[in-house]
């Protein structure tokens, strides 16, 4: 058998990256509303640039949400507290353009087509919900890390999180909020074998020599995150390869909610339907169905039914039941693929209302995932990361085989 070798790269960004600033603001607004009105409907997007934050979207809620206060709190928490850093939480302008959710959309979400036509009935209000939009959503899992995630994106996230931690703790005093990482892994026959390249770029205080920045980031960030066994003499390490990164954050680049969807998911290893997550309440299947698809895929891997799994689900607006569901195991399945699909259909209810109910998605849990990834977050107790269905799938697999 011929050996197959290839390189795969994933990137992540810190919470101070302009796009992630926008994501965190949108999800902080969502969390505030859900904390006080769990059935609030929220679709909020944020735009940030030099000295200005613009929040727009559609919100239907009984709660008064103090959006300017939330915006400034998020920006301050990230570390943008003076103009010299590139943004100032206390002096930036905040513009708000919010309307109610369209009644044409609401009528489809509130009461799904199946229930209007009498084809299904339920005493549970949530299960009557129709999908908030059409579209296709994907979830992915694999067994190459303990997080059931691809190695490149997990390491990229950990590098960015560590970059932020040493900045906020003062361990590396010259770092500033904006930053990026990138990890390239060499795969042999579909399994990670070594790291080919690591890239870390961090905004920094003016007047710091590149040699000092490089030494600190290698010692305090890369060596603390990346296991030594993945690095060899041919691994390339790049730290601030342009030589200077003083201007950063919203003063150097615009930020927009939903512009880092590959960072948010699987680093490009799994497909993406195109819908963003942040700022959307769970009636939006762009968000909730992606979480559910990840939940299904992760439990399939945890049950040992496959080594890699991608779950694809699609919806029609105003309709509860998915219009399609498919599972791709990339030839790594340990039982017939059609049998895995049957077991999944017997075990998981992928109607939007059932997803919200089963994963308890009306809680304010979203700002924490607006940076460093929505999946594989073992540092958070996320409902879609549970493997509580793995034993059920395993038992059903014994019967099916």
């Amino acid at each position: 058998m011929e050996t197959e070798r290839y390189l795969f790269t994933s990137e992540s960004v810190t919470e101070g990256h302009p796009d992630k600033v926008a994501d965190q603001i949108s999800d902080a607004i969502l969390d505030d509303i859900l904390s006080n009105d769990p059935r609030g409907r929220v679709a909020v997007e944020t735009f940030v640039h030099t000295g200005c934050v613009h929040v727009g979207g559609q919100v239907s809620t009984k709660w008064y949400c103090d959006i300017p206060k939330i915006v400034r709190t998020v920006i301050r928490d990230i570390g943008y507290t003076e103009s010299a850093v590139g943004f100032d939480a206390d002096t930036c302008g905040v513009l708000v353009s919010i309307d109610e959710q369209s009644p044409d959309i609401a009528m489809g979400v509130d009461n799904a087509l199946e229930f209007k036509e009498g084809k299904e009935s339920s005493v549970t209000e949530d299960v009557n919900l129709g999908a908030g939009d059409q579209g296709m959503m994907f979830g992915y899992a694999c067994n190459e890390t303990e997080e059931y995630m691809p190695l490149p994106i997990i390491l990229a996230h950990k590098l960015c999180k560590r970059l932020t931690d040493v900045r906020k703790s003062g361990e590396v005093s010259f770092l500033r909020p904006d930053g990026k990482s990138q990890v390239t892994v060499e795969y042999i026959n579909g399994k990670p074998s070594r790291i080919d390249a690591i890239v870390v770029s961090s905004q920094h205080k003016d007047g710091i020599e590149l040699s000092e920045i490089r030494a600190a980031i290698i010692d305090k960030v890369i060596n603390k995150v990346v296991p030594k066994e993945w690095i060899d003499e041919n691994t390339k390490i790049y730290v601030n390869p342009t030589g200077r990164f003083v201007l950063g954050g919203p003063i150097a680049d615009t930020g927009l909610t939903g512009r880092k969807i590959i960072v948010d998911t699987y680093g490009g290893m799994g497909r993406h339907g195109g819908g963003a997550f942040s700022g959307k309440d769970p009636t939006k299947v762009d968000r909730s169905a992606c979480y559910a698809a990840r939940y299904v895929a992760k439990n399939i891997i945890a049950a040992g039914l496959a080594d890699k799994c991608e779950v694809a689900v699609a919806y029609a607006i105003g309709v509860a039941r998915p219009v399609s569901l498919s599972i791709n195991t990339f030839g790594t399945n340990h039982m017939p693929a059609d049998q895995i699909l049957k077991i999944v259909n017997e075990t998981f209810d992928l109607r939007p209302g059932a997803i919200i109910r089963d994963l308890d998605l009306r809680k304010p849990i979203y700002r924490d995932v607006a940076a460093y990834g929505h999946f594989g977050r073992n540092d958070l107790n996320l409902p879609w990361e549970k493997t509580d269905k793995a034993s059920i799938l395993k038992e059903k697999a014994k019967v099916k085989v």
Side-chain angles (χ1 to χ4, degrees):
M1 178 179 173
E2 185 178 349
T3 300
E4 181 191 24
R5 294 176 179 266
Y6 60 90
L7 300 177
F8 194 91
T9 302
S10 295
E11 72 158 348
S12 183
V13 297
T14 67
E15 62 194 57
H17 185 282
D19 292 331
K20 279 291 143 199
V21 173
D23 283 342
Q24 290 168 90
I25 290 171
S26 295
D27 272 338
I29 292 167
L30 171 64
D31 278 356
D32 183 68
I33 291 171
L34 292 180
S35 295
N36 299 279
D37 180 8
R39 294 187 177 276
R41 299 281 172 78
V42 183
V44 167
E45 298 189 24
T46 304
F47 172 85
V48 300
H49 192 39
T50 308
C52 182
V53 178
H54 192 166
V55 179
Q58 296 78 43
V59 175
S60 296
T61 179
K62 296 177 288 186
W63 170 248
Y64 171 72
C65 180
D66 190 342
I67 291 176
K69 181 179 180 181
I70 292 170
V71 168
R72 298 185 192 283
T73 298
V74 170
I75 295 171
R76 189 178 299 109
D77 289 347
I78 292 169
Y80 287 117
T81 55
E82 54 178 316
S83 57
V85 178
F87 211 53
D88 186 349
D90 295 312
T91 63
C92 67
V94 180
L95 305 175
V96 180
S97 303
I98 298 290
D99 290 316
E100 288 186 327
Q101 182 182 60
S102 163
D104 294 350
I105 295 175
M107 65 186 292
V109 176
D110 294 338
N111 199 4
L113 182 65
E114 296 96 318
F115 300 103
K116 291 176 184 175
E117 294 180 346
K119 295 177 181 177
E120 296 190 31
S121 61
S122 171
V123 295
T124 305
E125 179 184 355
D126 263 345
V127 179
N128 292 352
L129 293 176
D133 201 353
Q134 69 176 43
M136 60 282 192
M137 296 81 199
F138 295 89
Y140 182 86
C142 59
N143 61 6
E144 61 189 62
T145 64
E146 65 179 6
E147 296 89 355
Y148 294 91
M149 289 284 286
L151 181 63
I153 188 63
I154 279 294
L155 290 180
H157 283 323
K158 289 181 178 180
L159 286 168
C160 278
K161 184 64 168 62
R162 177 69 182 171
L163 201 59
T164 296
D165 289 344
V166 298
R167 170 179 63 85
K168 288 187 170 181
S169 69
E171 190 173 353
V172 184
S173 59
F174 54 77
L175 296 181
R176 286 178 171 171
D178 199 357
K180 287 186 172 184
S181 71
Q182 188 171 278
V183 177
T184 300
V185 173
E186 181 179 8
Y187 282 77
I188 299 178
N189 295 332
K191 296 185 180 298
S193 64
R194 56 178 290 275
I195 293 174
D196 189 71
I198 298 171
V199 183
V200 178
S201 296
S202 179
Q203 184 187 11
H204 58 86
K205 193 179 298 184
D206 199 5
I208 309 299
E209 293 293 328
L210 179 59
S211 58
E212 183 179 355
I213 296 168
R214 179 180 169 83
I217 288 179
I218 290 176
D219 180 43
K220 303 294 186 181
V221 178
I222 295 174
N223 289 347
K224 300 294 184 181
V225 167
V226 181
K228 292 180 180 179
E229 60 266 26
W230 291 113
I231 297 177
D232 60 26
E233 65 277 8
N234 295 315
T235 300
K236 300 175 285 292
I237 296 178
Y238 302 98
V239 175
N240 284 18
T242 68
R244 177 181 169 88
F245 189 178
V246 173
L247 288 177
I251 198 172
D253 193 9
T254 57
L256 186 66
T257 300
R259 205 159 53 181
K260 285 290 178 285
I261 56 178
I262 299 303
V263 171
D264 286 341
T265 52
Y266 309 101
M269 189 73 78
R271 284 176 287 188
H272 196 293
F277 299 159
S278 292
K280 297 178 181 177
D281 76 80
T283 66
K284 279 72 174 175
V285 285
D286 277 348
R287 177 167 227 160
S288 56
C290 283
Y291 292 167
R294 161 66 177 177
Y295 180 50
V296 174
K298 186 174 181 180
N299 277 272
I300 288 172
I301 302 303
L305 306 187
D307 299 331
K308 298 180 182 180
C309 181
E310 182 182 76
V311 175
V313 61
Y315 294 86
I317 188 168
V319 180
R321 294 199 176 275
V323 298
S324 71
L325 172 65
S326 64
I327 294 174
N328 185 355
T329 60
F330 308 94
T332 68
N333 47 299
H334 302 300
M335 65 178 297
D338 61 334
Q339 295 297 322
I340 296 177
L341 182 58
K342 287 181 181 179
I343 293 170
V344 165
N345 274 315
E346 293 169 2
T347 307
F348 297 91
D349 188 343
L350 295 178
R351 293 176 294 173
I355 293 170
I356 293 170
R357 177 198 64 201
D358 296 342
L359 297 182
D360 199 13
L361 296 182
R362 294 194 186 276
K363 292 184 175 180
I365 56 175
Y366 299 106
R367 182 184 167 186
D368 284 343
V369 295
Y372 313 114
H374 293 243
F375 306 118
R377 296 294 300 275
N378 289 351
D379 56 323
L380 303 173
N381 186 27
L382 300 173
W384 54 87
E385 290 296 313
K386 296 183 298 184
T387 55
D388 56 331
K389 300 291 187 182
S391 59
I392 298 172
L393 293 176
K394 193 177 295 185
E395 286 302 313
K396 289 184 176 182
K398 291 178 183 177
V399 175
K400 292 290 183 182
V401 173

